[in-house]
Amino acid sequence: MSIRITGGIFRGRLLDVPPQGVRPTQDRVRAAIFSSLQNVIRGAKVLDLFAGTGAFGLEALSRGAAFACFIENDRFVMPYLRKNVRRLTGGKADEKDKAAETNRLLIVRSDAVSFLTRDPVPCIADIIFADPPYDAEGEWSKKILFHLSRRSILSPDGRVIIESGAKSPLIEAQGWDVCREKLYGETRVCIYRIHGSRVPAQDVK
């Protein structure tokens, strides 16, 4: 199985997908998400939580992001992530290291909650992508927003994009505004902003 980068300098390039352990976001869904970010992606600093194949972070780099940090904890999935990053960007990734970096990217072996609560962060992010396992009650979305609210790693006008199952409830958390929410078949995509931040017109539902 393979998926493609949908836009930018890597457009059409294939990414290798492990046979188990990941649920890649469909190309059409990723393309729609990045269409909504087209005015803010260039020059952005991006965190890709639950990175898997690295599709979100690599798509961001392809479309002009200045920096992408990939967070992945599955030791079976990690080689695929490193291979995809290396093949598209030329970034080196030493399997012996917890993290491997260039001036444009960083790969961190960590689970998402540990990263959000304890691990050193390389930058204040403008965009945070999170594609956790689907769950019926939206618990992952709650955890991500809760931990982000307790640690200042998102820029004041930044965005958090969380993918979840369409059957899970829409999560509205204290301190956050839902500025876009859309269903794509079995997938729900929500874009959150810190409550009170200025919301550009293109981010209004």
Side-chain angles (χ1 to χ4, degrees), residues 51-130:
T53 63
F56 275 116
L58 288 168
E59 185 92 40
L61 290 173
S62 179
R63 292 171 180 261
F67 178 83
C69 179
F70 303 84
I71 315 302
E72 177 57 53
N73 196 44
D74 191 316
R75 62 190 181 93
F76 180 74
V77 173
M78 184 65 78
Y80 289 83
L81 170 61
R82 294 184 183 276
K83 180 179 179 182
N84 287 333
V85 169
R86 184 169 56 247
R87 189 170 62 205
L88 268 65
T89 71
K92 296 180 180 179
D94 186 345
E95 293 284 356
K96 297 179 182 178
D97 294 337
K98 177 184 177 183
E101 62 179 312
T102 71
N103 60 345
R104 292 192 68 207
L105 63 94
L106 177 70
I107 300 174
V108 177
R109 172 79 183 276
S110 176
D111 70 87
V113 171
S114 292
F115 181 81
L116 292 176
T117 58
R118 297 188 295 274
D119 287 2
V121 295
C123 65
I124 300 300
D126 302 301
I127 302 171
I128 298 177
F129 296 102

Side-chain angles (χ1 to χ4, degrees), residues 60-204:
L61 290 173
S62 179
R63 292 171 180 261
F67 178 83
C69 179
F70 303 84
I71 315 302
E72 177 57 53
N73 196 44
D74 191 316
R75 62 190 181 93
F76 180 74
V77 173
M78 184 65 78
Y80 289 83
L81 170 61
R82 294 184 183 276
K83 180 179 179 182
N84 287 333
V85 169
R86 184 169 56 247
R87 189 170 62 205
L88 268 65
T89 71
K92 296 180 180 179
D94 186 345
E95 293 284 356
K96 297 179 182 178
D97 294 337
K98 177 184 177 183
E101 62 179 312
T102 71
N103 60 345
R104 292 192 68 207
L105 63 94
L106 177 70
I107 300 174
V108 177
R109 172 79 183 276
S110 176
D111 70 87
V113 171
S114 292
F115 181 81
L116 292 176
T117 58
R118 297 188 295 274
D119 287 2
V121 295
C123 65
I124 300 300
D126 302 301
I127 302 171
I128 298 177
F129 296 102
D131 183 12
Y134 286 2
D135 62 87
E137 302 301 323
E139 293 301 323
W140 272 115
S141 295
K142 295 175 187 177
K143 287 180 183 179
I144 291 164
L145 295 171
F146 172 77
H147 289 303
L148 283 173
S149 70
R150 295 169 65 88
R151 193 175 185 197
S152 300
I153 64 174
L154 181 69
S155 63
D157 288 327
R159 294 154 175 80
V160 180
I161 295 93
I162 302 180
E163 181 179 334
S164 61
K167 295 180 181 180
S168 65
L170 171 64
I171 301 303
E172 298 185 85
Q174 184 176 3
W176 297 93
D177 294 327
V178 180
C179 58
R180 182 184 290 264
E181 184 257 341
K182 191 169 179 62
L183 297 179
Y184 302 89
E186 298 299 312
T187 299
R188 180 194 305 277
V189 174
C190 290
I191 301 181
Y192 295 87
R193 303 284 298 274
I194 296 170
H195 179 66
S197 61
R198 186 171 58 86
V199 181
Q202 70 269 15
D203 274 0
V204 177

